[in-house]
Amino acid sequence: MGDVLSTHLDDARRQHIAEKTGKILTEFLRFYEDQYGVALFNSMRHEIEATGMPQAQLLWRKVPLEERIIFSGNLFQYQEDNKKWRNRFSLVPHNYGLVLYENKVAYERQVPPRAIINSAGYKILTSVDQYLELVGNSLPGTTSKSGIAPILKCPTQFPLILWHPSARHYYFCMMTEAEQDKWQAVLQDCIRHCNNGIPEDSKVEGPAFTDAIRMYRQARELYGTWEMLCGNEVQILSNLVMEELGPELKAELAPRLKGKPQERQRQWIQISDAVYRMVYEQAKERFELVLSKLQLARPAMEAVIRTDMDQIITSKEHLANKIRAFILPKAEVCVRNHVQPYIPSILEALMVPTSQGFTEVRDVFFKEVTDMNLNVINEGGIDKLGEYMEKLSQLAYHPLKMQSCYEKMEPLRLDGLQQRFDVSSTSVFKQRAQIHMREQMDNAVYTFETLLHQELGKGPTKEELCKSIQRILERVLKKYDYDSSSVRKRFFREALLQITIPFLLRKLAPTCKSELPRFQELIFEDFARFILVENTYEEVVLQTVMKDIMQAVKEAAVQRKHNLYRDSMVMHNSDPNLHLLAEGTPIDWGEEYGSGGSGGSGSPRPDAPEVATLSEKRRRAKQVVSVVQDEEMGLPFEASPEPLSPASLDSVTELRGMLAQDLRAESPLPAGPLLNGAPAQESPQPVADSEASSLPSSPLQHLPPGKAADLEPPKPSDQETGEQVSSPTGRPPIHTTTEDSAGVQTEF
């Protein structure tokens, strides 16, 4: 690898890359500085005018995942240096950066990991053929002929490949299709989270950055959605540079690469990754320098805005009126002829999968709470409540249980409309809707937790607790229905704007854009940092189509076709004291109601004080879900120096499943906790369908009179929702995964 890089990336070429990168960054950062003042003014104006959205009925968790491990397990990774497959212990911490250790012992001994992968901008491929096709397309003329060994061979039929257009690729494989499905769900969750890298609570820096990206690309006549707008600011900047720099380097270096097609492909991947890292470091340094300069200037800018807010608003409205008078006739014709007829089709294409996904969120939440309630009835009441609620609190971050919700967005297509409106990919809309689903699930769970915790303060009996859980569930579902309707309507409006506005701007550009500079004289020099002609022009264009979009969404709500509430349906202070409950100390179910706390087993040492034991429990990283295979298991047809384990997790679970079947055959009563309290099922059992269909009814037959009616679900759902939570004991906290590592892959 060193020879390849030294040959094709010598000092002269590195200097050229640095100069080209610096030129692109300088131009972009000029846009960013301009947009920063506009975003600051808009943020302060919004705070003063307080024209917010309807108040949410559900509570939201301020610290969603503190010291949580989303997933852990073993998978095989391909080592490019020695071209060997090695078994790695892998985990996904709360920041969703995939961490790879040599083995589990290295993790427990706090040995630094071999790699930390930030998956923003990556795609998951489940077959080598898919990967080879992408690699061949990335470097024309290198498609492998039949009979020639490809760039990658997988020893099993279940690969998972992380592919990036510029950065390094990662190769993994699993032993079974079930493992592949689990890891695919987990890695897709990582990508979804990392792609959403700009914090939503950033009311100035975030909007300024995304607007600067849009303005920069539109200055180059690049309209429409951009698939590589993913990750944090530095990653997006690196993608922006590589969008221009990559094709230039490819045209220059591709003819000079030597060897067979697969060797040239491998060389280009190495070169592209090296250039990406160079660009990333340069972009990080430049962006942080400009950002710190703007933050130092922010107090002075805020003082000017506070003093002259009314004059700035008046000046901007005067400018908008002049621009509107100029472009309105052209914009209205363009909207009427090229946009308005297609809005219903776009909206319908968005509404169907999105509404199905939110309905699935509701069903999964209902099913999990109902199963927990049945377990409380049959398995010891409040004594087990802490264990069940600890698992329920992590539901929104369980990649396998949430997978059935996320999958509803996959059929989203904009057939025929995608090319017309220059939508490069629907993935941006899919991932945005999926993030909303996760947020609404967590809000529903947290609201349920808070209300149940308040109820437990009254000291209910088991029968009273059963009724309370059912009553709180119905109460939370009503709040969820209202909030999910508001979230979906907002998502539809934003998506329609994101699709139509770039199209309108491109259509109007030939006749309108050249005339915009003459409006600059209407802006007072003192206000030039807070009012830009280009931004005001886009706002006027937005207003021309916003009326049609609002009307289309309103009509969809009136039809009630997708369970949307009408805009007139507003829930005012239905629970005036509910939001006060969320201000208290976060609930630790394992400590308050668990037997011995969560994650711990056995008794403390006689010489260790009780306080130290509790402190140690708090320090342990809690596990959302863990699928840990035998660490020393070897690949097929590969010699392994270590003995094989006599049984894997799958075989143990199958044995448990067979024992459970025998017990069910002997007795109609459940032999253990249902679902939430059951051992993790790694593979579907032959009786899964019949068992699932009997779960909601069979435990109710053993309740006292009157309890069955109270627990009868209004919308039963028999769909399996994934693996159960596993809480390994004694795991040390993570010291090696930090937010600082989120920028680029780190190899140790």
Side-chain angles (χ1 to χ4, degrees), residues 133-145:
E133 182 180 357
L134 278 175
V135 171
N137 293 337
S138 66
L139 195 62
T142 60
T143 304
S144 299
K145 299 179 181 178

Side-chain angles (χ1 to χ4, degrees), residues 248-289:
E248 176 187 319
L249 283 175
K250 188 183 300 183
E252 188 175 353
L253 295 180
R256 303 184 183 186
L257 300 178
K258 306 298 182 182
K260 296 179 180 180
Q262 67 270 25
E263 186 59 32
R264 281 182 281 155
Q265 291 172 350
R266 189 176 291 108
Q267 291 174 14
W268 173 247
I269 293 171
Q270 295 171 358
I271 293 171
S272 179
D273 177 60
V275 173
Y276 183 83
R277 290 171 182 268
M278 291 167 53
V279 169
Y280 178 89
E281 293 301 326
Q282 190 172 346
K284 184 173 185 290
E285 181 181 356
R286 290 287 302 277
F287 178 73
E288 290 177 350
L289 185 65

Side-chain angles (χ1 to χ4, degrees), residues 138 346 407 498 637 644 654:
S138 66
I346 300 173
E407 285 176 347
Q498 197 170 352
F637 313 112
L644 294 175
E654 290 172 3

Side-chain angles (χ1 to χ4, degrees), residues 430-495:
K430 292 178 183 178
Q431 293 189 11
R432 190 68 199 145
Q434 290 165 345
I435 289 171
H436 284 316
M437 291 176 196
R438 183 178 63 197
E439 290 172 348
Q440 290 301 298
M441 174 67 88
D442 195 47
N443 292 349
V445 169
Y446 183 57
T447 306
F448 179 84
E449 286 185 73
T450 304
L451 293 172
L452 180 60
H453 190 260
Q454 181 189 41
E455 190 70 22
L456 290 172
K458 303 175 183 178
T461 63
K462 185 164 71 171
E463 289 74 16
E464 292 171 340
L465 177 62
C466 169
K467 287 186 175 181
S468 296
I469 290 174
Q470 185 66 17
R471 185 174 64 252
I472 293 171
L473 172 60
E474 294 171 358
R475 184 176 169 188
V476 172
L477 287 176
K478 290 180 181 179
K479 296 178 182 295
Y480 172 83
D481 291 339
Y482 180 81
D483 279 9
S484 70
S485 174
S486 300
V487 168
R488 279 180 288 149
K489 287 192 290 185
R490 185 172 73 250
F491 167 71
F492 297 146
R493 289 192 291 265
E494 292 174 352

